[in-house]
Amino acid sequence: MASKGSGMSRKSYRLTSDAEKSRVTGIVHEKLLNDYLHRVFSSPDHAPTSAASRKPLNFQNLPEHLDQLLQVDSEDEESEGQVEGRLGPSTVVLDHTGGFEGLLLVDDDLLGVIGHSNFGTIRSTTCVYKGKWIYEVLISSQGLMQIGWCTINCHFNQEEGVGDTHNSYAYDGNRVRKWNVTTSNYGKAWAAGDIVSCLIDLDDGTLSFYLNGVSLGTAFENISVGPGMAYFPAISLSFKESVAFNFGSRPLRYPSAGYRPLQDPPRADLARTQRLLGCFQAVLGVELDPVEGRLLERQSSEWQLQGQPTVLLTLAHIFQRLAPLLRKVYLVEAVLMSFLLGIVEVGSPAQTQAAVHQVLDLLWLFMEDYEVHDCLKQLLVSLLRLYRFSPIVPDLSLQIHYLRLTIAILKHEKSRKFLLSNVLFDVLRSAVFFYIKSPLRVEEAGLQELIPTTWWPHRSSKEGKDSKEVKEETAEERLRRRAYERGCQRLKKRIEVVEELQVQILKVLLNNKDDNGGEASRYIFLTKFRKFLQENANGRGNMAMLCPPEYMVCFLHRLISALRCYWDEYKAANPRASFSEEAYVPPQVFYNGKVDYFDQQRLGGLLSHLRKTLKDDLATKANILIDPLELQAATMDDLDEDEEPSPAAAQRPMQALAIGGALPLPRPGWLSSPTLGRANRFLSTAAVSLMTPRRPLSTSEKVKVRTLSAEQRTREDIEGSHWSEGLLLGRPPEEPEQPLTENSLLEVLDGAVMMYNLSVHQQLGKMVGVSDDVNEYAMALRDTEDKLRRCPKWRKDILAELTKSQKVFSEKLDHLSRRLAWVQATVYSQEKMLDIYWLLRVCLRTIEHGDRTGSLFAFMPEFYLSVAINSYSALKNYFGPVHSMEELPGYEETLTRLAAILAKHFADTRIVGTDIRDSLMQALASYVCYPHSLRAVERIPEEQRVAMVRSLLAPYEQRPWAQTNWILVRLWRGCGFGYRYTRLPHLLKTKPEDANLPSLQKPCPSALLQQHMADLLRGDPDVAPSFLNSVLNQLNWAFSEFIGMIQEIQQAAERLERNFVDSRQLKVCATCFDLSVSLLRVLEMTITLVPEIFLDWTQPTSEMLLRRLAQLLNQVLNRVTAERNLFDRVVTLRLPGLESVDHYPILVAVTGILVRLLVHGPASGTERATSVLLADPCFQLRSICYLLGQPEPPVPGTALPAPDRKRFSLQSYTDYISAEELAQVEQMLTHLTSASAQAAATSLPTSEEDLCPICYAHPISAVFQPCGHKSCKACINQHLMNNKDCFFCKATIMSVEDWDKAANTSSSSAA
């Protein structure tokens, strides 16, 4: 058979000649050669023949014998015409030219499809009208899809797909239903990794479906058949769902007796390949003994190629005919794959390795390179498909066999380098090899046998005081829990076998000792791995480019295991290196250009900007010069880092997408993963590397940079040499001279950190949903059991319903608890937790070392800080309660180091990105909510603590002040008036969305940080006025916005026509209310810690601050306490989204401030505060009485009457407000009642002309120079805090002088 690659010359083997005959037969006796060739090339039926009747065989007549051997029956020859019962091309693919509706992405092999619109539909190019037919669909995503058959007359749209019209029939495993105009329950739920077989019997008129080879039963009967009725395979799928079809181009995974695939298999070639492979196996099973002149039986695993001419010529004859056949995907999967898997199943790992290496050596020896390349490519594609779409069995034997074969192939050096360079990342989704899919149907995975006893944790649903009460575990529950834990351990051990094989694959790919025949595998892997990261970083908006996050999680864990293994091996051989426990990425990697970070944002902004602004620092600290031409080119790259070298090619699919169509992609997409191929690949942007000097550098010499592409990097560029430091070029003086490890491992580590940032963290949070489901159902089951116990026995109807519900919940919990065991073993095990913890510590060390470089810290990518924050959050929130973070080694030290980083960098001027600054602020705000992390903040050096508090007290303008304010509030929470609650009193009966939220943690104030705040406010005369002015400004804004919004909400609620208030508006309104409360609490803390800021009028701003405070407090009190006012009506509505809006939180905050001013202060301070409060025209004593439930002020000298239960009163909250605090409120009310009476008796009427023209509340007391306009001191002082222009004429105010009307009048008269 002629080779398909006829344009490429085959290797020239001179198989035989008369001149050589004597030489060949001189080595092996003619009789022995005849016996050997007959043994190898026996007839297909293996009928025994006598030696006398056999025709002698030698290398001259062997080709003729082989031709006869490979003859196949005429019925096995592939028919070129039409097959009865089938219409259309013999090669069946998806009809991307006209047989579709909607927007779809089709793979380049026209077998995989991704939905790109609401509900797109596509059919095949071939239909059937008679007989029994089957095709398979490989499910890549488990979303909404309808798979089945349709006729050409079926018309679909974006709402109606296969099964929604007459003469179209479909199975939907997402909703577990069947469809033919109407719908009904059918089958089982499918999951990603399943295979659906679609069978049609046009003789009986029936349709049926199989799921992973298990029949789901007949779905439809009496379908329309006869003239004009022909059925196409078809599918409708929603956005981002993906599948791949197998019409027969590959062997069916689950063939069904009597049913024929739509595409005929290559039967003739299949028969020839099987016979040739049988001859090849015969060569491996027999050995020539020329001395004894006999044939020896051998095990295939023991056979070795020893250079015998007879054997070599025999193999050459075999491969001359076999090589072209092994380029066909069907034959590779059906014959070669089966042969290699047979080797794996019967041999030990060592035997498997030897046998597979022998086979691969022979392939490379006797086949052309392009033939071996095609064969290996198809072999790996088939292996990946088999691995991903294999059912989960209890011992995971299928996955283990496929991984063992993959390892054996990749351990073959020449094959590994070819696959790494051209297949593993370019054609395949190699990350699939590191994934262990989670079984959706636990019974099919054998988890019932592995974990026969189920158990789930019992959590209390109560809040507040009862949350500590843990129900005592009964003896029965203890036995169940232990049995469940034993089952989980059995499952974990089996999964660990698979994980270890996956780690072995990565260890093979990271081998850097195989550089004899070219570049070592590790450096090929690094180039491909970097491109993989770039695709996933740049392809955020293109789902077809992204590696699914569930794959990324597993890939990361295996990569960390392999990386740490190589890291510690290097340490063992090089004592001066560091252990993996001390790993970090040196800071010079971020600025020396050796590693490409594509469009990843740096802490200091764009890379081009940093190179311009920090070029002098690079020169002085790192001896690096930036070429001006390189700077210009880098600037253009940074402006559009996503630009591809071939933009037209990249834009064509997008332009076609806009008008609709089924588009063939150049490579199969990530989401159409059954083909396990790749979508359009972004070419790597140019990586900036350093020009390698040709001699050692002295410390004073500078290195000029130039641009190299990723492919141009060599081992020397990465590892360095005796005259180059490779990746570590440009070492700052703060970094140690001795290397941490091999430079290539540093790049792998950097990639692992980036992987976590891309999608691993989000996936870890997503998988927690299984645990949440278990808790929900466990709570529902306990509630049902409680109702059963309380239900009267004579209510049999209710008992029956409750018993039914109990059974449903129990069955669901059994299922979920087994699924949870799988998730715990694959995602949240102790080992996985240690991996994430190690990554957290790597980031902390990297940030600490980067920080020491001063301004060069700005070159660090933002994702290092993001990963440090997010990995800590994952360890704290996702891995419990089975594994606790407190059990991790060095836990306290790690908490303190993270606290130091958050405290220092949340206000670091070197960090300019708004998002990362917000993330740091939010992380610090969350950090101070938990006692253990707050104590860590208190453990950092005092200098850092004071600097952190100073940053928190900076003016709120021009920065995210809300988060800053939350941090200060949390430092105070637990100390303020009535401020010891976890949840607001009126919300206790409602269930929180997430009890783990930082805002729902128990108060844990920090006296140490409060003291730092007091010292700063007291010691620096500039800090307190600017800080308090900004707090008062924001309080004024927040409360005014809140009042304006509730007015709009009230108006909308009172309209007669039905309308809905925008939920976003409600959320903003509630946020403004919460901000007002928190700002009031910060003011309470300030007055408590440093009361002299307001009460010591020797300070220039004290009086002004006190008057502003009194004005705002009166405004809040009047708005909130007015009878039947706007606030009351909105609170009564209890609108969703405004749950936190209530009288209690805001009134107790105001009360706390008033008590501190009027009760706790010194006598002189109390007098001043009282006079200022009463002098404010908005003051109403009735508002103070409202706090104690009194409608009117009491008569002086009489006891306070009992509060009205229908009215708000602080006395109703005895669980939250102590008796001492209530007594202080009563004391304050008595004092204000007396003081207001005295003020009313002594106050003199004031002329309107003498009142301040700004506030009309106070007499004129100040005159502005040089313009001469007048106002009260409070107004002008407040104005000058923010503006230096006159109220009236806008002239610049140079000075403010006291003004006394009487004195000025007398001086005028004297004049």
Side-chain angles (χ1 to χ4, degrees):
M1 179 176 292
S3 168
K4 284 190 176 181
S6 55
M8 304 177 70
S9 61
R10 291 195 54 77
K11 293 179 180 176
S12 177
Y13 293 106
R14 296 186 299 163
L15 300 180
T16 183
S17 67
D18 291 336
E20 292 177 339
K21 178 182 175 183
S22 58
R23 182 171 63 84
V24 172
T25 55
I27 298 174
V28 177
H29 191 273
E30 289 186 5
K31 180 179 180 304
L32 181 59
L33 175 63
N34 177 58
D35 292 343
Y36 177 73
L37 293 179
H38 273 290
R39 173 72 68 84
V40 172
F41 300 102
S42 58
S43 58
D45 54 6
H46 299 284
T49 56
S50 63
S53 62
R54 289 187 313 197
K55 178 181 177 180
L57 272 181
N58 53 45
F59 288 120
Q60 286 181 312
N61 59 18
L62 181 58
E64 179 185 351
H65 178 77
L66 265 175
D67 291 339
Q68 295 176 354
L69 183 67
L70 297 180
Q71 284 182 355
V72 295
D73 297 335
S74 58
E75 62 189 38
D76 285 340
E77 291 287 355
E78 296 144 306
S79 60
E80 298 297 331
Q82 295 295 333
V83 176
E84 185 180 8
R86 184 180 66 193
L87 292 174
S90 57
T91 300
V92 186
V93 293
L94 296 174
D95 186 358
H96 70 292
T97 59
F100 66 89
E101 171 66 36
L103 195 59
L104 302 155
L105 297 175
V106 181
D107 293 345
D108 62 345
D109 61 1
L110 301 182
L111 293 174
V113 60
I114 308 172
H116 212 73
S117 59
N118 185 43
F119 204 50
T121 300
I122 192 167
R123 65 172 185 260
S124 71
T125 55
T126 300
C127 61
V128 293
Y129 61 89
K130 180 181 179 182
K132 298 180 178 181
W133 302 90
I134 182 176
Y135 71 92
E136 291 180 342
V137 181
L138 287 68
I139 306 295
S140 293
S141 59
Q142 62 190 51
L144 179 58
M145 296 179 282
Q146 294 174 196
I147 301 171
W149 305 81
C150 72
T151 65
I152 200 169
N153 295 321
C154 294
H155 298 288
F156 306 111
N157 55 44
Q158 293 292 299
E159 301 298 329
E160 294 183 340
V162 180
D164 296 326
T165 65
H166 290 287
N167 297 324
S168 69
Y169 306 87
Y171 160 52
D172 174 3
N174 177 259
R175 293 173 288 190
V176 197
R177 304 185 75 81
K178 61 181 180 180
W179 299 80
N180 176 232
V181 183
T182 60
T183 180
S184 59
N185 293 332
Y186 174 79
K188 298 179 180 179
W190 61 35
D194 286 342
I195 297 179
V196 174
S197 304
C198 305
L199 293 77
I200 188 169
D201 185 343
L202 292 164
D203 299 330
D204 291 341
T206 60
L207 265 168
S208 57
F209 298 91
Y210 283 63
L211 187 63
N212 295 330
V214 178
S215 174
L216 302 178
T218 301
F220 303 100
E221 297 177 335
N222 301 319
I223 65 173
S224 300
V225 295
M229 298 302 297
Y231 290 89
F232 292 83
I235 184 174
S236 298
L237 65 174
S238 56
F239 184 60
K240 293 182 182 177
E241 303 302 333
S242 59
V243 299
F245 287 81
N246 181 14
F247 299 113
S249 59
R250 295 175 179 271
L252 293 180
R253 190 67 178 275
Y254 301 106
S256 185
Y259 287 83
R260 184 173 183 175
L262 268 73
Q263 180 173 325
D264 291 324
R267 295 188 182 88
D269 282 348
L270 182 61
R272 295 186 183 101
T273 307
Q274 289 171 335
R275 292 176 189 177
L276 286 169
L277 193 66
C279 298
F280 176 67
Q281 288 179 276
V283 172
L284 302 183
V286 68
E287 185 178 339
L288 284 166
D289 186 352
V291 178
E292 297 291 334
R294 59 177 182 167
L295 302 178
L296 302 176
E297 299 290 341
R298 286 276 187 180
Q299 292 290 332
S300 299
S301 59
E302 299 174 0
W303 186 88
Q304 291 185 349
L305 182 63
Q306 298 175 345
Q308 295 171 307
T310 303
V311 177
L312 290 173
L313 288 172
T314 303
L315 289 171
H317 278 284
I318 294 173
F319 277 99
Q320 185 183 26
R321 290 163 171 79
L322 182 60
L325 297 173
L326 290 183
R327 298 180 65 197
K328 298 183 177 181
V329 57
Y330 192 100
L331 303 178
V332 169
E333 189 165 322
V335 182
L336 182 60
M337 178 69 71
S338 300
F339 167 63
L340 294 175
L341 284 173
I343 295 175
V344 172
E345 290 170 3
V346 300
S348 65
Q351 292 173 329
T352 298
Q353 185 66 43
V356 172
H357 270 219
Q358 196 72 253
V359 172
L360 292 174
D361 284 337
L362 295 175
L363 291 181
W364 284 101
L365 178 63
F366 291 103
M367 292 171 64
E368 297 289 345
D369 284 351
Y370 69 92
E371 292 172 333
V372 184
H373 294 169
D374 287 347
C375 178
L376 286 174
K377 173 183 171 181
Q378 301 299 349
L379 186 62
L380 261 290
V381 168
S382 298
L383 255 178
L384 212 55
R385 290 170 67 101
L386 289 170
Y387 176 77
R388 186 182 179 199
F389 293 97
S390 294
I392 299 292
V393 295
D395 60 355
L396 300 173
S397 56
L398 297 174
Q399 285 76 11
I400 289 172
H401 286 152
Y402 299 140
L403 290 174
R404 285 182 58 193
L405 178 55
T406 304
I407 292 170
I409 293 172
L410 292 177
K411 281 189 174 180
H412 188 266
E413 182 177 330
K414 193 171 184 180
S415 301
R416 174 174 69 252
K417 289 185 177 180
F418 163 73
L419 292 170
L420 253 178
S421 300
N422 303 282
V423 178
L424 283 179
F425 286 91
D426 298 86
V427 177
L428 298 183
R429 310 177 64 181
S430 54
V432 173
F433 277 127
F434 313 115
Y435 176 57
I436 304 178
K437 64 181 180 181
S438 177
L440 184 64
R441 299 170 299 277
V442 297
E443 64 279 358
E444 294 177 15
L447 294 186
Q448 287 178 327
E449 294 77 20
L450 206 59
I451 309 175
T453 304
T454 59
W455 172 85
W456 46 88
H458 294 276
R459 292 185 180 177
S460 173
S461 61
K462 296 181 181 180
E463 297 292 332
K465 301 177 182 178
D466 298 332
S467 60
K468 281 188 175 181
E469 298 175 6
V470 179
K471 187 179 177 182
E472 191 69 26
E473 188 178 44
T474 64
E476 180 184 355
E477 289 175 341
R478 189 180 304 108
L479 290 174
R480 284 186 60 193
R481 176 174 57 80
R482 290 175 178 173
Y484 176 74
E485 289 171 351
R486 288 193 296 270
C488 293
Q489 284 300 316
R490 288 192 293 269
L491 173 64
K492 183 181 174 185
K493 287 180 180 178
R494 296 187 181 187
I495 289 175
E496 284 174 348
V497 175
V498 176
E499 292 177 345
E500 178 55 36
L501 291 173
Q502 293 169 333
V503 173
Q504 284 185 37
I505 292 177
L506 275 171
K507 286 182 180 178
V508 171
L509 298 181
L510 288 172
N511 181 6
N512 67 336
K513 307 298 183 187
D514 56 347
D515 54 352
N516 299 325
E519 195 172 14
S521 299
R522 181 181 295 176
Y523 307 102
I524 305 173
F525 174 85
L526 281 177
T527 300
K528 300 297 181 181
F529 181 52
R530 209 72 198 173
K531 286 187 176 181
F532 165 82
L533 294 173
Q534 182 179 6
E535 289 171 358
N536 283 275
N538 293 348
R540 295 274 176 108
N542 183 6
M543 292 300 295
M545 296 297 299
L546 299 180
C547 174
E550 59 270 25
Y551 293 2
M552 196 77 91
V553 172
C554 296
F555 189 7
L556 174 65
H557 286 298
R558 312 302 176 265
L559 186 63
I560 288 175
S561 298
L563 170 63
R564 297 192 66 179
C565 178
Y566 273 114
W567 193 300
D568 289 333
E569 282 182 6
Y570 184 82
K571 166 64 179 175
N574 299 270
R576 294 185 63 194
S578 301
F579 286 106
S580 62
E581 275 297 332
E582 304 162 354
Y584 68 93
V585 180
Q588 57 264 43
V589 173
F590 305 133
Y591 58 73
N592 66 15
K594 288 288 189 176
V595 178
D596 183 12
Y597 287 100
F598 15 100
D599 65 346
Q600 294 295 300
Q601 187 74 13
R602 308 299 181 103
L603 292 177
L606 290 175
L607 181 61
S608 57
H609 169 74
L610 292 175
R611 284 179 174 161
K612 286 181 179 179
T613 57
L614 298 178
K615 60 182 180 181
D616 294 338
D617 291 338
L618 283 172
T620 56
K621 294 183 178 181
N623 292 331
I624 291 178
L625 290 178
I626 303 295
D627 192 330
L629 295 177
E630 194 70 27
L631 263 179
Q632 184 178 1
T635 303
M636 297 306 296
D637 286 342
D638 282 328
L639 288 176
D640 188 9
E641 289 188 349
D642 288 336
E643 183 179 356
E644 295 188 33
S646 178
Q651 291 170 4
R652 278 196 297 271
M654 292 300 106
Q655 293 162 356
L657 277 175
I659 60 174
L663 303 177
L665 295 179
R667 284 288 174 195
W670 275 98
L671 287 179
S672 63
S673 52
T675 59
L676 301 165
R678 303 303 308 274
N680 293 341
R681 292 176 54 81
F682 285 102
L683 296 178
S684 176
T685 54
V688 179
S689 295
L690 295 175
M691 181 185 296
T692 306
R694 293 303 174 191
R695 56 191 175 82
L697 290 172
S698 67
T699 56
S700 61
E701 289 180 303
K702 307 291 188 290
V703 183
K704 186 177 290 186
V705 300
R706 65 181 179 89
T707 300
L708 290 175
S709 66
E711 290 82 357
Q712 288 177 304
R713 288 195 314 171
T714 63
R715 176 171 186 162
E716 190 175 278
D717 291 318
I718 298 172
E719 298 291 3
S721 64
H722 64 281
W723 43 265
S724 170
E725 292 181 279
L727 284 186
L728 299 183
L729 198 59
R731 179 180 62 84
E734 296 83 4
E735 280 297 294
E737 293 186 11
Q738 65 271 20
L740 292 170
T741 185
E742 296 171 284
N743 292 354
S744 53
L745 296 181
L746 293 174
E747 186 170 340
V748 176
L749 175 60
D750 176 76
V753 177
M754 191 186 297
M755 282 176 69
Y756 186 90
N757 183 63
L758 290 177
S759 59
V760 171
H761 181 72
Q762 292 85 340
Q763 182 65 16
L764 289 177
K766 181 180 176 182
M767 296 303 291
V768 176
V770 179
S771 177
D772 293 340
D773 289 344
V774 170
N775 294 330
E776 291 287 338
Y777 277 98
M779 195 176 298
L781 179 60
R782 285 198 299 277
D783 291 343
T784 305
E785 290 172 345
D786 289 341
K787 291 175 183 176
L788 271 172
R789 284 191 292 269
R790 296 196 307 268
C791 182
K793 294 185 178 180
W794 56 271
R795 292 302 304 269
K796 298 188 180 299
D797 53 339
I798 298 178
L799 285 171
E801 287 298 321
L802 289 173
T803 303
K804 183 179 178 181
S805 299
Q806 182 188 28
K807 182 180 178 183
V808 170
F809 291 144
S810 296
E811 290 175 353
K812 187 68 176 178
L813 275 169
D814 287 342
H815 172 85
L816 285 174
S817 63
R818 293 187 174 104
R819 272 203 72 199
L820 181 61
W822 185 280
V823 172
Q824 293 284 5
T826 55
V827 181
Y828 299 118
S829 68
Q830 180 72 21
E831 293 74 18
K832 311 297 185 301
M833 189 179 191
L834 287 171
D835 284 346
I836 304 300
Y837 183 59
W838 180 75
L839 212 58
L840 166 62
R841 291 166 68 91
V842 165
C843 290
L844 296 182
R845 280 188 288 269
T846 302
I847 295 167
E848 290 167 351
H849 282 261
D851 180 39
R852 296 171 194 160
T853 62
S855 59
L856 299 184
F857 179 60
F859 282 95
M860 180 179 288
E862 284 185 354
F863 64 77
Y864 273 88
L865 278 170
S866 298
V867 172
I869 294 168
N870 291 333
S871 56
Y872 168 73
S873 173
L875 291 167
K876 182 164 63 75
N877 298 320
Y878 299 157
F879 286 84
V882 179
H883 306 294
S884 173
M885 190 177 177
E886 284 83 353
E887 301 170 359
L888 294 171
Y891 163 73
E892 295 289 342
E893 179 209 357
T894 302
L895 273 188
T896 305
R897 292 170 71 177
L898 178 57
I901 286 173
L902 294 177
K904 180 171 184 178
H905 297 300
F906 84 95
D908 193 337
T909 55
R910 295 172 295 180
I911 301 175
V912 301
T914 304
D915 291 341
I916 190 63
R917 290 175 70 92
D918 286 349
S919 297
L920 286 164
M921 188 75 76
Q922 292 169 11
L924 183 59
S926 173
Y927 219 69
V928 297
C929 286
Y930 300 87
H932 54 280
S933 50
L934 178 59
R935 300 291 89 81
V937 175
E938 294 177 345
R939 287 196 300 269
I940 66 177
E942 181 178 355
E943 182 182 351
Q944 293 184 19
R945 292 197 308 268
V946 173
M948 177 190 77
V949 176
R950 184 183 295 276
S951 298
L952 291 173
L953 295 180
Y956 281 5
E957 287 76 11
Q958 306 301 322
R959 68 192 188 98
W961 60 271
Q963 288 293 342
T964 302
N965 199 72
W966 292 128
I967 296 173
L968 293 173
V969 166
R970 284 158 185 167
L971 299 180
W972 177 246
R973 188 175 180 180
C975 296
F977 182 91
Y979 200 35
R980 293 171 291 279
Y981 55 82
T982 300
R983 297 185 66 205
L984 291 169
H986 68 287
L987 295 179
L988 281 183
K989 295 181 181 179
T990 63
K991 183 182 175 184
E993 293 182 4
D994 185 0
N996 292 322
L997 288 174
S999 59
L1000 296 181
Q1001 304 310 305
K1002 292 184 178 180
C1004 52
S1006 172
L1008 179 61
L1009 296 178
Q1010 289 176 22
Q1011 186 58 49
H1012 289 326
M1013 178 179 173
D1015 294 341
L1016 285 170
L1017 290 174
R1018 188 178 291 116
D1020 192 332
D1022 297 328
V1023 171
S1026 59
F1027 169 68
L1028 289 172
N1029 182 60
S1030 62
V1031 172
L1032 292 169
N1033 286 342
Q1034 300 301 344
L1035 175 59
N1036 184 41
W1037 171 85
F1039 190 73
S1040 300
E1041 286 291 311
F1042 167 70
I1043 294 299
M1045 286 184 180
I1046 63 173
Q1047 286 175 344
E1048 296 176 8
I1049 293 169
Q1050 174 66 17
Q1051 291 168 5
E1054 289 180 345
R1055 292 194 188 107
L1056 295 177
E1057 66 273 15
R1058 184 174 181 182
N1059 56 80
F1060 299 94
V1061 181
D1062 182 16
S1063 59
R1064 184 175 177 275
Q1065 184 182 10
L1066 292 173
K1067 184 176 181 181
V1068 173
C1069 179
T1071 302
C1072 288
F1073 178 80
D1074 293 339
L1075 286 172
S1076 301
V1077 174
S1078 67
L1079 288 162
L1080 287 168
R1081 287 296 185 182
V1082 169
L1083 289 170
E1084 179 191 17
M1085 174 170 62
T1086 306
I1087 293 169
T1088 304
L1089 297 175
V1090 198
E1092 59 268 24
I1093 292 178
F1094 291 91
L1095 302 179
D1096 181 6
W1097 286 10
T1098 60
Q1099 299 183 17
T1101 58
S1102 293
E1103 182 182 358
M1104 182 271 294
L1105 291 174
L1106 184 59
R1107 291 188 184 280
R1108 288 196 64 194
L1109 177 62
Q1111 179 185 1
L1112 286 171
L1113 293 179
N1114 284 324
Q1115 179 188 350
V1116 172
L1117 281 172
N1118 292 341
R1119 291 285 192 174
V1120 175
T1121 63
E1123 292 291 337
R1124 294 181 295 279
N1125 68 347
L1126 179 64
F1127 187 87
D1128 263 341
R1129 291 197 293 272
V1130 170
V1131 168
T1132 306
L1133 289 174
R1134 293 297 179 198
L1135 295 174
L1138 294 183
E1139 293 88 355
S1140 63
V1141 178
D1142 192 65
H1143 292 84
Y1144 181 83
I1146 195 163
L1147 288 182
V1148 290
V1150 172
T1151 305
I1153 296 174
L1154 292 174
V1155 166
R1156 285 290 168 184
L1157 289 172
L1158 303 175
V1159 177
H1160 289 285
S1164 59
T1166 300
E1167 182 180 346
R1168 291 182 185 127
T1170 304
S1171 63
V1172 169
L1173 191 66
L1174 296 180
D1176 188 86
C1178 296
F1179 174 76
Q1180 297 181 29
L1181 188 58
R1182 179 195 53 78
S1183 297
I1184 308 298
C1185 299
Y1186 184 93
L1187 300 175
L1188 293 174
Q1190 307 302 328
E1192 296 296 336
V1195 177
T1198 62
L1200 292 173
D1204 185 352
R1205 292 186 178 276
K1206 296 180 180 180
R1207 303 171 59 88
F1208 173 86
S1209 174
L1210 295 179
Q1211 295 170 334
S1212 303
Y1213 297 90
T1214 53
D1215 289 341
Y1216 300 89
I1217 302 174
S1218 67
E1220 181 184 356
E1221 289 174 328
L1222 284 173
Q1224 292 168 359
V1225 178
E1226 294 173 359
Q1227 180 182 348
M1228 177 185 70
L1229 177 56
T1230 303
H1231 169 72
L1232 285 175
T1233 302
S1234 173
S1236 61
Q1238 291 177 12
T1242 59
S1243 63
L1244 296 174
T1246 304
S1247 169
E1248 186 174 338
E1249 294 179 357
D1250 296 334
L1251 290 177
C1252 171
I1254 304 300
C1255 65
Y1256 286 96
H1258 306 291
I1260 293 174
S1261 56
V1263 60
F1264 318 153
Q1265 298 298 341
C1267 64
H1269 288 109
K1270 307 176 187 68
S1271 75
C1272 67
K1273 286 185 179 179
C1275 286
I1276 188 57
N1277 288 339
Q1278 179 181 342
H1279 178 68
L1280 290 177
M1281 293 290 291
N1282 304 297
N1283 199 322
K1284 300 299 182 184
D1285 295 339
C1286 175
F1287 287 114
F1288 309 101
C1289 64
K1290 303 303 179 185
T1292 302
I1293 299 175
M1294 306 304 294
S1295 64
V1296 177
E1297 299 177 0
D1298 292 342
W1299 190 84
D1300 187 331
K1301 181 178 179 181
N1304 281 273
T1305 302
S1306 61
S1307 63
S1308 299
S1309 301

